[in-house]
Amino acid sequence: PWKVDSIGAKEFISEASTCDLLLFRCSRGMVIRGVTNSEFDHVAMIIRLDMEPNEVYIIEATGNRGVSYNKWSNLKQHLGAGKFYEKLVYRSVKTEFKVSVLKSFLESVEGKSYSISADKLLKTKTRRITDEEEPRTFFCSELVAKAFKTLGVLVDDDTSCT
């Protein structure tokens, strides 16, 4: 059971904060959901910009655009039964972070390519690589985990694929 079954668009725009999460169930995400044993197959992190207080942005890693920003106003038309995103869940993440650290992280990952593989999904130890060794790539939850580790929301140990 969810704490709140639904939230209106105005309330979402008002409540959403940087680092909050959106969990998606895509109409074509059965393979990812099967491998991960999850109800969801995509995740994105919310970014709020002071210069656009009435807009919510997300940063996500997708197969067609890599790591990029998307506006909520563009995304919402793809939500609902029979559309690309069948279900969307908003999760508030109460955390403090340094804006300069977030800004630096976002600048470092924007434009990176998307990549997912069984090796990445099943890794139990991090292998730290530099862009000189091989270009850094991300899949959606890997991007969010890396952001949270960079911001100190998650402990940066060697137990995930980021």
Side-chain angles (χ1 to χ4, degrees):
W2 304 105
K3 182 178 174 185
V4 177
D5 289 335
S6 64
I7 184 172
K10 286 182 183 177
E11 188 179 2
F12 169 70
I13 295 294
S14 172
E15 287 187 19
S17 297
T18 296
C19 290
D20 288 350
L21 298 177
L22 292 176
L23 303 170
F24 299 83
R25 181 181 176 99
C26 302
S27 57
R28 294 175 256 173
M30 290 173 46
V31 172
I32 295 293
R33 289 192 305 272
V35 169
T36 61
N37 195 29
S38 175
E39 184 177 347
F40 303 99
D41 45 57
H42 184 61
V43 62
M45 188 172 78
I46 292 174
I47 305 292
R48 295 302 296 257
L49 303 174
D50 291 338
M51 63 189 135
E52 289 190 65
N54 295 322
E55 182 63 80
V56 172
Y57 286 82
I58 64 170
I59 186 158
E60 61 184 339
T62 62
N64 60 334
R65 295 178 49 211
V67 177
S68 61
Y69 294 95
N70 200 350
K71 282 185 174 185
W72 169 253
S73 56
N74 296 336
L75 181 68
K76 65 183 180 181
Q77 66 186 326
H78 301 288
L79 299 172
K83 297 186 179 180
F84 189 75
Y85 298 114
E86 297 173 340
K87 184 176 183 179
L88 174 70
V89 173
Y90 163 65
R91 287 287 182 250
S92 177
V93 177
K94 305 291 185 204
T95 188
E96 292 185 21
F97 58 90
K98 291 185 178 180
V99 173
S100 61
V101 173
L102 176 62
K103 184 178 180 197
S104 177
F105 171 76
L106 295 173
E107 288 171 354
S108 74
V109 298
E110 185 180 11
K112 298 284 187 191
S113 296
Y114 176 89
S115 175
I116 191 167
S117 66
D119 284 348
K120 276 185 150 188
L121 285 173
L122 301 174
K123 257 187 219 176
T124 58
K125 274 269 198 216
T126 296
R127 179 178 156 252
R128 300 191 190 276
I129 58 172
T130 64
D131 275 342
E132 291 78 38
E133 292 178 73
E134 58 185 83
R136 181 66 161 103
T137 62
F138 291 96
F139 60 92
C140 62
S141 58
E142 184 180 26
L143 175 67
V144 170
K146 184 64 175 175
F148 281 8
K149 286 180 174 188
T150 301
L151 296 172
V153 177
L154 292 176
V155 176
D156 192 2
D157 61 13
D158 290 335
T159 58
S160 75
C161 57
T162 58

